[in-house]
Amino acid sequence: MAARSVEVDLKNYDDDERHDPARRHGSGRPRVLSYWRTVPAEEFDNAFKAEVTAFVRGTTTTIPEWRRAIAGDTAAAIAMVIDCKSPDAIGIKVDFAMTVLLACAFDDPAAALVLSIKLRQMPLAARLREQLAISWLVANMLSCLKRSTPPRKGQQV
C-alpha cells in the first residue's frame, strides 16, 4: 500500500463526530488510524509496522511539534498526548496523535509505556481497553529487557 500525503491541521478540525453520521465510526478515514485502538502489540508484524510508519511519515504539517513527532521524535509524540484528558469520544485528533505515538512505540519502550497508560483512559470497551493496555505494557517491558541484557559471549551486538 503506497503512503499518501495527509495535511494535518487538527486545530481546526471538528472532532465531535457524534453529530455527523457520515463520519461516525471513522468512516472515510484510513484504517491505519484505528490500529492503536484495535490491534494488540503482539500482532504487529513487520508489514503492520511498515504500514503505520509509512502513513505517519507520509503526513505533512506546518506545526513544529507535529513535525518532530511525525519524524519519529518520541519525546515530541509523548508530549502531544501525555497531558490530554480522557476524551468522551475518539475522533480524528485522538486517532492521529495516538497513531503517531504508536509508530514510536514499535521501537521505543517509553512510547510503549505511554501508549499503555493512555489506552487505559480511552472510551473503549473495558475488555478491549485492558487487553490493549496490557499488551503495550508487556511490549515496554520486553523492549527494556532487550536493551538492558548484555550480549552473551561470542554474540555480536
Side-chain angles (χ1 to χ4, degrees):
M1 171 190 263
R4 67 177 197 206
S5 182
V6 178
E7 179 63 32
V8 178
D9 186 3
L10 298 176
K11 288 181 180 177
N12 297 322
Y13 196 94
D14 176 15
D15 208 18
D16 188 0
E17 297 181 352
R18 292 170 292 182
H19 304 295
D20 185 349
R23 293 187 334 185
R24 203 173 291 149
H25 305 297
S27 61
R29 273 195 237 155
R31 190 181 65 210
V32 69
L33 288 171
S34 69
Y35 291 169
W36 69 271
R37 57 184 160 92
T38 57
V39 181
E42 65 273 10
E43 291 184 22
F44 279 96
D45 59 14
N46 289 338
F48 248 150
K49 290 176 183 179
E51 181 182 0
V52 171
T53 302
F55 176 82
V56 169
R57 302 294 183 268
T59 305
T60 60
T61 181
T62 57
I63 304 166
E65 300 82 24
W66 283 90
R67 274 195 199 155
R68 288 193 302 276
I70 288 166
D73 182 332
T74 299
I78 289 172
M80 286 185 347
V81 302
I82 197 71
D83 291 326
C84 294
K85 65 179 185 170
S86 300
D88 293 328
I90 297 173
I92 188 73
K93 291 178 186 178
V94 172
D95 270 343
F96 190 76
M98 294 298 286
T99 298
V100 171
L101 181 63
L102 172 64
C104 293
F106 296 141
D107 298 315
D108 192 300
L113 179 61
V114 172
L115 183 56
S116 174
I117 291 166
K118 296 310 285 185
L119 276 161
R120 291 180 190 281
Q121 301 169 1
M122 293 297 161
L124 301 170
R127 187 173 182 176
L128 175 63
R129 183 176 56 238
E130 191 68 16
Q131 176 193 18
L132 294 171
I134 289 171
S135 76
W136 285 103
L137 183 59
V138 169
N140 160 268
M141 291 187 285
L142 291 174
S143 183
C144 286
L145 285 173
K146 286 179 194 173
R147 289 176 177 221
S148 66
T149 304
R152 293 185 180 142
K153 192 172 188 173
Q155 190 179 26
Q156 289 185 344
V157 179

